[in-house]
Amino acid sequence: VITVSTFIVQLIGPPCVKWAAEQAKESGRNISEDDLSKTLAVKDIIDPLYPLIEENMTLSRVIDIFSRSPHTQYPIVDQNKHVKGIIDIDSIKNALEYQEIGNLALALEVMKSFNHSTKEETRLSDVKKYMDKHRLGFLPVVNDNNEVIGGIDRRMYGNFMLKKIKGVRGLFHPA
């Protein structure tokens, strides 16, 4: 009885699964970055530990943060964690000319103005379009009080999407 029932399930199981996938319109889908980015939000990728640079931080401390973190752009925030600007690699390179005043120069003095941000609820597809349109490599993530609660950058986005796409495709095409 067990052998016969196993044999019957093995015969009718695969065609039934194929039929169910076709009925659900999942058969033959090629999951793309666009498909995933429309279903995911910033909260799925945000780095809540993204380093923040306080506006009164010394340049030597800023350089220390750059050397310890994989990111290339950082938000400059005031005491209320509101975005004042950003510091990027170019800002640091320009500031290195004044390395001897590294303990006197402040982050505020080398920052670039920056008035872009996003919220946790924003769809990743919208964030990607926004970053492309404004040629941004980084966006601070803010809450309803405009306080920075994390960050998202292109490298994080790319790595996240690559892992997600591989994971989703792995479900349908196991190696």
Side-chain angles (χ1 to χ4, degrees), residues 15 48 77 107 153 166 168:
V77 296
D153 65 28
K166 281 184 176 180
V168 169

Side-chain angles (χ1 to χ4, degrees), residues 52-118:
L52 305 179
I53 296 178
E54 297 169 6
E55 61 186 342
N56 60 356
M57 197 175 278
T58 63
L59 187 56
S60 58
R61 178 72 181 111
V62 171
I63 291 171
D64 184 53
I65 290 171
F66 263 84
S67 69
R68 293 174 187 229
S69 178
H71 307 295
T72 59
Q73 297 178 337
Y74 299 90
I76 306 289
V77 296
D78 61 17
Q79 66 270 14
N80 297 321
K81 290 190 173 183
H82 294 136
V83 177
K84 300 291 283 182
I86 64 162
I87 286 186
D88 59 12
I89 293 291
D90 291 334
S91 303
I92 294 296
K93 281 200 247 179
N94 294 336
L96 286 177
E97 295 176 16
Y98 307 104
Q99 192 168 13
E100 63 276 359
I101 61 167
N103 290 326
L104 300 175
L106 301 178
L108 189 63
E109 297 168 346
V110 295
M111 76 174 193
K112 295 179 179 178
S113 65
F114 193 81
N115 27 347
H116 306 277
S117 64
T118 188

Side-chain angles (χ1 to χ4, degrees), residues 20-167:
E22 288 169 353
Q23 294 303 309
K25 305 225 186 311
E26 294 294 327
S27 179
R29 277 186 74 195
N30 187 12
I31 304 296
S32 69
E33 178 181 325
D34 263 358
D35 296 331
L36 281 176
S37 68
K38 290 175 184 171
T39 64
L40 299 169
V42 170
K43 65 183 172 193
D44 297 315
I45 189 176
I46 184 177
D47 180 357
L49 301 176
Y50 206 101
L52 305 179
I53 296 178
E54 297 169 6
E55 61 186 342
N56 60 356
M57 197 175 278
T58 63
L59 187 56
S60 58
R61 178 72 181 111
V62 171
I63 291 171
D64 184 53
I65 290 171
F66 263 84
S67 69
R68 293 174 187 229
S69 178
H71 307 295
T72 59
Q73 297 178 337
Y74 299 90
I76 306 289
V77 296
D78 61 17
Q79 66 270 14
N80 297 321
K81 290 190 173 183
H82 294 136
V83 177
K84 300 291 283 182
I86 64 162
I87 286 186
D88 59 12
I89 293 291
D90 291 334
S91 303
I92 294 296
K93 281 200 247 179
N94 294 336
L96 286 177
E97 295 176 16
Y98 307 104
Q99 192 168 13
E100 63 276 359
I101 61 167
N103 290 326
L104 300 175
L106 301 178
L108 189 63
E109 297 168 346
V110 295
M111 76 174 193
K112 295 179 179 178
S113 65
F114 193 81
N115 27 347
H116 306 277
S117 64
T118 188
K119 305 267 185 170
E120 281 185 299
E121 306 81 33
T122 309
R123 286 185 311 182
L124 284 179
S125 60
D126 294 336
V127 168
K128 176 89 166 56
K129 286 177 193 169
Y130 186 86
M131 290 174 79
D132 290 346
K133 178 181 177 185
H134 296 283
R135 296 182 177 189
L136 300 174
F138 158 79
L139 270 178
V141 180
V142 297
N143 62 16
D144 291 334
N145 297 326
N146 281 330
E147 298 166 335
V148 178
I149 57 171
I152 178 175
D153 65 28
R154 286 188 181 276
R155 191 188 93 263
M156 289 167 53
Y157 174 88
N159 289 342
F160 179 81
M161 291 310 255
L162 185 62
K163 287 178 186 174
K164 282 288 190 185
I165 289 171
K166 281 184 176 180

